[in-house]
């Protein structure tokens, strides 16, 4: 039996990257999927992929920073498919001006928090009553491994994603008795279209790869598989957790010069 058979899922930021991979994976596992995003061409293309493969999907143009859009999105899911079982809060991003504490302007801070934290909270707030009406559900939030470490830039984005981690705990604690689970995924560097655009020279990725325990990098499909597990009943007793998926990079202490070459770090 498919892991998401007869479930209805909403995926934000579903037009490209991790979101699109999540849509395809959830549909493959039997879910009817509502693909949300701001770029109509992208979300319609993702939905069309699902339908062409024999699945069920519709595209709904949504700006997750606009509460009325979020409400309309979730209501459309129920109107179209009868219920809401899964919300994958994947939409997010950062601004070019987001750098370090000293140089990041207030506008970049507001953008990071509105898009990554407030939008996630808005989606959850409006999804909970719909999930309760259906007997429960699973909320999966896309956080970031950057929420757990400093020194990598993008301070506003990292702080907002740290807020997503704590929001996940709160929702899990307050709504578990209503049958709603809430977990987060914290990807490291993932080779989505957007990430690859930020590394125009192959040697830049190669340099990062030399400091990771596992070779290569995560793909959007890797993240999607974890999202499917957390959305499904296979993870029925997993609640309030943030799952880092970075090949072990966050688990590894920085090497002392010379020790790794000697096999001692």
């Amino acid at each position: 039996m498919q892991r998401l058979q007869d479930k209805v899922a909403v995926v934000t930021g579903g037009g490209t990257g991790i979101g699109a991979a999540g849509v395809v994976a959830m549909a493959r596992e039997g879910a009817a999927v509502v693909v949300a995003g701001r770029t109509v061409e992208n979300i319609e293309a993702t939905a069309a992929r699902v339908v062409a493969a024999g699945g069920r999907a519709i595209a709904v143009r949504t700006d997750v920073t606009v509460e009325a859009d979020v409400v309309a999105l979730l209501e459309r899911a129920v109107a179209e498919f009868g219920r809401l079982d899964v919300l994958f809060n994947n939409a997010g991003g950062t601004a070019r001006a987001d750098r370090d504490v000293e140089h990041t302007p207030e506008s970049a801070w507001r953008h990071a928090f509105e898009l990554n934290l407030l939008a996630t909270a808005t989606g959850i707030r409006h999804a909970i009553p719909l999930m309760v009406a259906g007997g429960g559900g699973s909320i999966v939030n896309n956080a970031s491994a950057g929420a757990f470490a400093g020194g990598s830039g993008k301070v506003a984005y990292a702080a907002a994603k740290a807020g997503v981690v704590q929001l996940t705990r709160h929702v899990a604690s307050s709504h578990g008795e209503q049958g709603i689970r809430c977990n987060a995924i914290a990807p490291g560097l993932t080779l989505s279209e957007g990430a690859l655009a930020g590394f125009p020279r192959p040697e830049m990725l190669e340099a990062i790869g030399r400091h990771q325990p596992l070779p290569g990098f995560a793909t959007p499909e890797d993240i999607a598989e974890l999202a499917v597990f957390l959305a499904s009943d296979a993870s029925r007793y997993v609640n309030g957790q943030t799952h880092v998926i970075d090949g072990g990079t966050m688990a590894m202490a920085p090497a002392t010069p010379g020790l790794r070459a000697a096999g001692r770090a």
Side-chain angles (χ1 to χ4, degrees):
M1 182 176 177
Q2 295 168 302
R3 289 180 287 174
L4 298 178
Q5 188 70 43
D6 299 325
K7 294 188 182 295
V8 177
V10 169
V11 179
T12 66
T16 60
I18 292 171
V23 169
V24 171
M26 289 184 183
R28 183 196 67 222
E29 292 296 330
V33 187
V34 181
V35 189
R38 290 183 294 183
T39 305
V40 173
E41 295 81 3
N42 290 342
I43 60 174
E44 287 184 343
T46 302
R49 286 176 60 192
V50 170
V51 173
R56 296 179 296 162
I58 60 170
V60 179
R61 198 271 175 191
T62 308
D63 182 341
V64 294
T65 66
V66 177
E67 185 173 14
D69 277 16
V70 175
V71 172
L73 166 69
L74 299 175
E75 290 180 346
R76 178 70 185 281
V78 174
E80 191 76 23
F81 297 118
R83 56 188 295 117
L84 177 65
D85 301 292
V86 177
L87 174 61
F88 183 16
N89 281 311
N90 167 72
T94 185
R96 187 181 299 273
D98 187 358
R99 298 168 60 194
D100 59 18
V101 174
E102 182 181 2
H103 299 101
T104 300
E106 182 176 328
S107 59
W109 280 94
R110 291 187 180 278
H111 175 269
F113 273 72
E114 288 175 2
L115 177 57
N116 296 286
L117 179 55
L118 180 57
T120 299
T122 299
I124 292 171
R125 179 157 53 90
H126 290 289
I128 283 173
L130 301 176
M131 288 184 170
V132 169
S138 176
I139 297 168
V140 182
N141 299 323
N142 202 355
S144 170
F148 299 100
S152 59
K154 302 297 183 185
V155 61
Y157 174 82
K161 290 298 191 179
V164 171
V165 171
Q166 187 62 6
L167 172 64
T168 298
R169 296 189 184 107
H170 273 277
V171 175
S173 301
S174 59
H175 293 281
E177 64 184 15
Q178 294 173 293
I180 295 174
R181 296 184 299 110
C182 188
N183 293 285
I185 298 171
L189 176 58
T190 303
L191 295 188
S192 63
E193 300 97 318
L196 286 171
F199 295 94
R201 300 195 308 275
E203 58 268 23
M204 298 171 69
L205 280 174
E206 292 170 4
I208 295 173
R210 287 195 293 270
H211 298 279
Q212 298 182 157
L214 291 181
F217 297 93
T219 67
E221 289 72 24
D222 292 320
I223 314 304
E225 287 301 318
L226 182 54
V228 166
F229 169 71
L230 293 173
S232 76
D233 293 339
S235 61
R236 68 172 192 84
Y237 213 63
V238 180
N239 193 29
Q241 305 304 306
T242 297
H243 305 264
V244 178
I245 178 167
D246 69 346
T249 302
M250 294 295 299
M252 181 178 67
T256 302
L259 288 184
R260 180 171 295 168
R264 290 176 289 168

